[in-house]
Amino acid sequence: MSFHEKIAWSTLGSMLIVYGFYFYTVLSAAADTPVDEIAYQGLMVFMIVVFVVMVVVAAVVAAVVDPREADVTDERDRSIDRRGSSVGGAVLGAGILVPLVLAMVDAETFWIAQAILAALVLGQVAEEVTKVVAYRRGL
Amino acid sequence: MGRKSRRSTRVQNSIRELRADHAGMTQADLASVLGVSRQTVIAIEQGKYSPSLEMAFEIAEVFGVDLDVVFRLADDEGKK
């Protein structure tokens, strides 16, 4: 497995763990608490930081395990990256319409914030899944 | 994308045979000469990735042969 494929897998795994936990926690709270009483801001920022740290640690570990591969970014990596970005961008673009509509109808700020984060996460997940599939099945 | 076939390109190649003819050059050796990852060499050999024209010429140059000795377009069976 090439360095960039390892990064794609670790980013995908980190996202599912971190944001799975975040959305589970916040949406569970929303089920039995008025949303304007939920202090989601601190948790959201904390989870984003945790996610970034996980991705960086995974990249460092992958580079230490196989330093030679970490130096190589070739044309296939760049093509796969472009395809991932293209799919991720499309998903993000579509997903961001949800918070836009929520803002238009004066929804609670809580829901707008969750919808923005969800659009960002879904866009990134789509990007990483596309890359992993391209690495596995071919471009 | 969307095709079930294992191969994702119509380009076939003889890299595996050419490596064998060149003192058993390994995939890692070829990758290192080309400056790409070993996985990219594997993907090209398996027809899962079509290299750029530039890299295709570089591969032919490594083996000292013409481009069409290394790569050729598969027949129509790959089309449907």
Side-chain angles (χ1 to χ4, degrees):
Chain A
M1 193 183 289
S2 75
F3 178 73
H4 293 277
E5 185 181 348
K6 286 180 193 146
I7 298 298
W9 278 108
S10 62
T11 304
L12 185 59
S14 304
M15 295 204 86
L16 296 179
I17 293 168
V18 169
Y19 295 114
F21 173 79
Y22 170 81
F23 282 115
Y24 175 76
T25 305
V26 168
L27 297 180
S28 302
D32 53 16
T33 313
V35 292
D36 55 358
E37 291 174 19
I38 299 173
Y40 68 89
Q41 297 88 337
L43 182 63
M44 187 186 277
V45 172
F46 178 70
M47 294 318 279
I48 291 171
V49 171
V50 168
F51 167 68
V52 172
V53 169
M54 282 174 81
V55 170
V56 170
V57 167
V60 169
V61 170
V64 168
V65 169
D66 197 346
R68 268 186 320 161
E69 288 284 341
D71 275 344
V72 180
T73 300
D74 59 34
E75 59 173 47
R76 175 168 162 264
D77 294 315
R78 285 188 286 272
S79 295
I80 289 176
D81 196 53
R82 275 197 297 275
R83 178 181 287 184
S85 297
S86 155
V87 172
V91 171
L92 171 62
I96 210 72
L97 294 176
V98 174
L100 183 65
V101 169
L102 288 174
M104 285 173 177
V105 300
D106 278 333
E108 298 270 6
T109 314
F110 171 87
W111 289 115
I112 297 173
Q114 308 315 318
I116 291 174
L117 183 65
L120 289 168
V121 170
L122 287 177
Q124 187 80 45
V125 165
E127 175 171 342
E128 302 306 330
V129 167
T130 304
K131 287 201 236 174
V132 161
V133 169
Y135 274 116
R136 293 279 101 191
R137 304 212 21 210
L139 190 65
Chain B
M1 271 177 46
R3 248 179 302 162
K4 282 277 170 351
S5 122
R6 236 182 110 56
R7 266 174 205 284
S8 62
T9 83
R10 285 181 59 213
V11 180
Q12 296 182 332
N13 68 83
S14 316
I15 296 175
R16 183 178 295 272
E17 295 76 10
L18 287 163
R19 281 196 298 105
D21 290 345
H22 277 70
M25 177 190 278
T26 64
Q27 291 170 329
D29 295 335
L30 180 57
S32 147
V33 174
L34 296 169
V36 303
S37 67
R38 193 172 66 85
Q39 287 72 23
T40 292
V41 169
I42 294 169
I44 295 171
E45 279 192 11
Q46 293 179 343
K48 288 183 175 179
Y49 174 67
S50 290
S52 66
L53 195 54
E54 188 175 338
M55 197 198 289
F57 273 110
E58 283 171 2
I59 294 169
E61 199 173 284
V62 168
F63 295 120
V65 297
D66 286 338
L67 191 59
D68 60 359
V69 175
V70 189
F71 296 100
R72 70 203 159 279
L73 205 54
D75 296 332
D76 284 2
E77 37 107 18
K79 256 190 198 168
K80 58 177 172 194

